[in-house]
C-alpha cells in the first residue's frame, strides 16, 4: 500500500490524505500510518505549506522504486448490453474464441501483464472466465444501464495507479495496433483511422500536427474530419487522476471519457496515432457482427492476428 501512495504522490504531491483515502478505498487513519512509515523509511519528505495543504516529495530512494518498465496494465470497458444480442458482446464467437478472449490473448502477446475488465451485463460469464484466465481482474458496474463509459472507467480509480491502455470491449482489431501504440513515444494518445462506412457510434476526430483538436459524433460540427477514433488509447496516470477528479464533480453519468481528451483543463495536448490501413471493426449490431465474420476475421486469420 505504501507503494501505491507513493505513486499517487509522485504524480500529485499535494493531494490531501482524504483524497488519497478515497482513491485507494482505505481509511484516513491508514493513509496517515502509511505516510509516516514512508517518511521513517526515507522514501518521502513532508513539508507543511499551510493549514490546509501539505507537500510530499519523494526522496531519491523513493523515486528509484519507480523505474519505468513501460506499460503493463490494460483496462477493457465491456459493461453494456448490446441491443441485438442476448449475451454480452464479449461472449460473441470470433473464430475459435470469444471476443474477450481475443482481447486477452492479444494483450498478453504484447506483454501486458495486468488486465482489468469493467463488466455489467451478464457479469456471470466474466466471473466464470476467471477459472480459465485466473489473473484477470473484474470490476462490476452495477448501474451499466444508466451510465456511460466514463462512469465505468471511474469505477477503476482505486485499482489503477499507473499509466495504462484503455480499450473499448466491442472492437475487433489486429495485434499490431497494440504494439504500435505501446511503442509510440507520446504518453497520451489514441488510435484513429479513416472513417468506416459500417460503424455506428462513430467519434469523428480533427487533428493538427498529430494533436487532437476536435472530437464529435456530429461530423457537421468539425472544421476538418481527419478520421475516427478506434477505441484504443494510452493514458498517463497523472492525467487519469485529473479525469477522475473532474468527473466526480459533473452530474452527467452518461459522459464519454473521450471528450476529456479535448478538455484543456485535463490535457495540454492529446495525440493521435493515425493508422489508415487497419484491420479492425466494431460490433454494435448483427449487421456489424456479420461484417466482422465475413470480412474482418478472414484477414485476421490470414495475418495470424
Amino acid at each position: 500500500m505504501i507503494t501505491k501512495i507513493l505513486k499517487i504522490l509522485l504524480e500529485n504531491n499535494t493531494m490531501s490524505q482524504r483524497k488519497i483515502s478515497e482513491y485507494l478505498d482505505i481509511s484516513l487513519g491508514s493513509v496517515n500510518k502509511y505516510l509516516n512509515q514512508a517518511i521513517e523509511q526515507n522514501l518521502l519528505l513532508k513539508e507543511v505549506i499551510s493549514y490546509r495543504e501539505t507537500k510530499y516529495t519523494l526522496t531519491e530512494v523513493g523515486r528509484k522504486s519507480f523505474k519505468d518498465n513501460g506499460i503493463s496494465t490494460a483496462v477493457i470497458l465491456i459493461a453494456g448490453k448490446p441491443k441485438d444480442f442476448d449475451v454480452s458482446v464479449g461472449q460473441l464467437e470470433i473464430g475459435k474464441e470469444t471476443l474477450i478472449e481475443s482481447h486477452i490473448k492479444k494483450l498478453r502477446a504484447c506483454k501486458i501483464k495486468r488486465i482489468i475488465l469493467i463488466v455489467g451485463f451478464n457479469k456471470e460469464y466474466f466471473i466464470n472466465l476467471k477459472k480459465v484466465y485466473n489473473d484477470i481482474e473484474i470490476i462490476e458496474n452495477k448501474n451499466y444501464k444508466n451510465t456511460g463509459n466514463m462512469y465505468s472507467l471511474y469505477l477503476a480509480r482505486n485499482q489503477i495507479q499507473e499509466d495504462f491502455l484503455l480499450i473499448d470491449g466491442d472492437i475487433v482489431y489486429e495485434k499490431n495496433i497494440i504494439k504500435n501504440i505501446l511503442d509510440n513515444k507520446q504518453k497520451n494518445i489514441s488510435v484513429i483511422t479513416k472513417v468506416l462506412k459500417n460503424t455506428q457510434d462513430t467519434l469523428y476526430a480533427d487533428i493538427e500536427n498529430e494533436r487532437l483538436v476536435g472530437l464529435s459524433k456530429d461530423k457537421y460540427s468539425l472544421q476538418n474530419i481527419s478520421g475516427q477514433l478506434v477505441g484504443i488509447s494510452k493514458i498517463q496516470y497523472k492525467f487519469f487522476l485529473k479525469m477522475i477528479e473532474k468527473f466526480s464533480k459533473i452530474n452527467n453519468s452518461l459522459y464519454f471519457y473521450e471528450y476529456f481528451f479535448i478538455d484543456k483543463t485535463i490535457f495540454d495536448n492529446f495525440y493521435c496515432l493515425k493508422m489508415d490501413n487497419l484491420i479492425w471493426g466494431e460490433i454494435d449490431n448483427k449487421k456489424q457482427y456479420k461484417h466482422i465474420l465475413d470480412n474482418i476475421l478472414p484477414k485476421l486469420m490470414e495475418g495470424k492476428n
Side-chain angles (χ1 to χ4, degrees):
M1 190 58 70
I2 289 178
T3 300
K4 291 183 177 181
I5 292 175
L6 290 179
K7 179 63 177 176
I8 289 176
L9 293 174
L10 182 65
E11 306 294 358
N12 183 355
N13 65 356
T14 59
M15 182 175 286
S16 69
Q17 291 191 25
R18 182 173 298 279
K19 186 60 66 175
I20 293 173
S21 73
E22 291 176 4
Y23 279 133
L24 299 180
D25 197 24
I26 59 177
S27 68
L28 273 172
S30 295
V31 172
N32 186 61
K33 178 185 72 173
Y34 291 127
L35 286 172
N36 289 333
Q37 289 178 0
I39 292 169
E40 291 173 1
Q41 295 172 24
N42 192 32
L43 300 172
L44 202 61
L45 298 175
K46 178 180 178 180
E47 178 184 358
V48 178
I49 305 299
S50 67
Y51 174 73
R52 293 182 176 276
E53 186 175 18
T54 300
K55 179 180 178 181
Y56 296 95
T57 304
L58 270 69
T59 64
E60 184 178 354
V61 175
R63 286 182 173 275
K64 283 183 177 179
S65 64
F66 292 108
K67 182 179 179 181
D68 185 10
N69 293 317
I71 288 181
S72 60
T73 297
V75 178
I76 302 175
L77 304 179
I78 196 156
K81 181 186 183 305
K83 62 181 181 180
D84 282 0
F85 304 99
D86 294 326
V87 298
S88 166
V89 69
Q91 294 175 253
L92 296 177
E93 295 287 337
I94 307 295
K96 297 181 180 180
E97 60 194 11
T98 63
L99 176 54
I100 194 62
E101 287 178 302
S102 174
H103 282 298
I104 293 171
K105 291 178 180 178
K106 285 182 174 66
L107 290 168
R108 283 182 171 177
C110 292
K111 299 182 180 179
I112 297 297
K113 299 178 181 178
R114 188 179 182 212
I115 301 174
I116 302 171
L117 308 183
I118 316 297
V119 307
F121 174 65
N122 211 1
K123 65 177 181 179
E124 293 79 10
Y125 166 75
F126 299 99
I127 293 172
N128 289 331
L129 194 68
K130 278 184 65 68
K131 296 175 183 178
V132 180
Y133 304 97
N134 54 25
D135 55 344
I136 61 174
E137 300 173 41
I138 293 177
I139 298 172
E140 182 186 359
N141 179 355
K142 296 180 180 179
N143 195 25
Y144 67 89
K145 293 181 181 179
N146 305 304
T147 56
N149 60 17
M150 184 59 214
Y151 181 84
S152 283
L153 181 57
Y154 179 79
L155 296 177
R157 65 194 183 281
N158 296 331
Q159 281 70 34
I160 300 174
Q161 285 88 39
E162 62 276 323
D163 300 354
F164 63 99
L165 288 179
L166 179 59
I167 301 175
D168 293 346
D170 61 353
I171 60 174
V172 178
Y173 52 92
E174 57 183 294
K175 183 174 62 180
N176 189 48
I177 301 178
I178 302 297
K179 182 180 185 303
N180 284 356
I181 197 169
L182 288 173
D183 290 345
N184 193 283
K185 66 179 181 179
Q186 301 299 342
K187 300 292 186 180
N188 298 292
I189 189 167
S190 191
V191 177
I192 74 166
T193 188
K194 60 184 178 182
V195 177
L196 300 183
K197 294 180 180 180
N198 64 330
T199 53
Q200 183 171 319
D201 291 325
T202 303
L203 268 172
Y204 301 99
D206 182 2
I207 63 173
E208 293 179 5
N209 299 320
E210 300 181 352
R211 291 175 173 84
L212 183 65
V213 296
L215 190 66
S216 178
K217 281 197 170 188
D218 178 12
K219 62 182 178 181
Y220 301 107
S221 67
L222 298 178
Q223 294 184 19
N224 300 289
I225 297 178
S226 307
Q228 71 175 92
L229 262 65
V230 171
I232 300 178
S233 305
K234 184 170 65 175
I235 298 176
Q236 196 171 14
Y237 179 60
K238 65 181 179 181
F239 294 100
F240 172 64
L241 290 177
K242 291 182 179 181
M243 292 169 66
I244 293 300
E245 179 73 18
K246 189 159 187 177
F247 184 71
S248 68
K249 297 176 181 178
I250 67 176
N251 296 320
N252 184 8
S253 61
L254 294 170
Y255 197 77
F256 283 3
Y257 70 78
E258 293 95 339
Y259 288 124
F260 279 138
F261 295 170
I262 54 172
D263 187 335
K264 289 299 183 181
T265 68
I266 307 292
F267 297 97
D268 295 328
N269 287 298
F270 196 93
Y271 291 84
C272 287
L273 174 60
K274 200 165 191 300
M275 302 174 67
D276 281 340
N277 296 313
L278 294 182
I279 303 172
W280 83 288
E282 63 178 343
I283 305 175
D284 290 318
N285 51 52
K286 290 183 178 180
K287 182 178 179 180
Q288 290 179 341
Y289 182 39
K290 185 177 186 303
H291 173 75
I292 293 289
L293 297 181
D294 293 345
N295 300 285
I296 304 301
L297 182 59
K299 294 179 182 178
L300 291 176
M301 295 300 294
E302 181 180 345
K304 303 298 182 182
N305 283 297

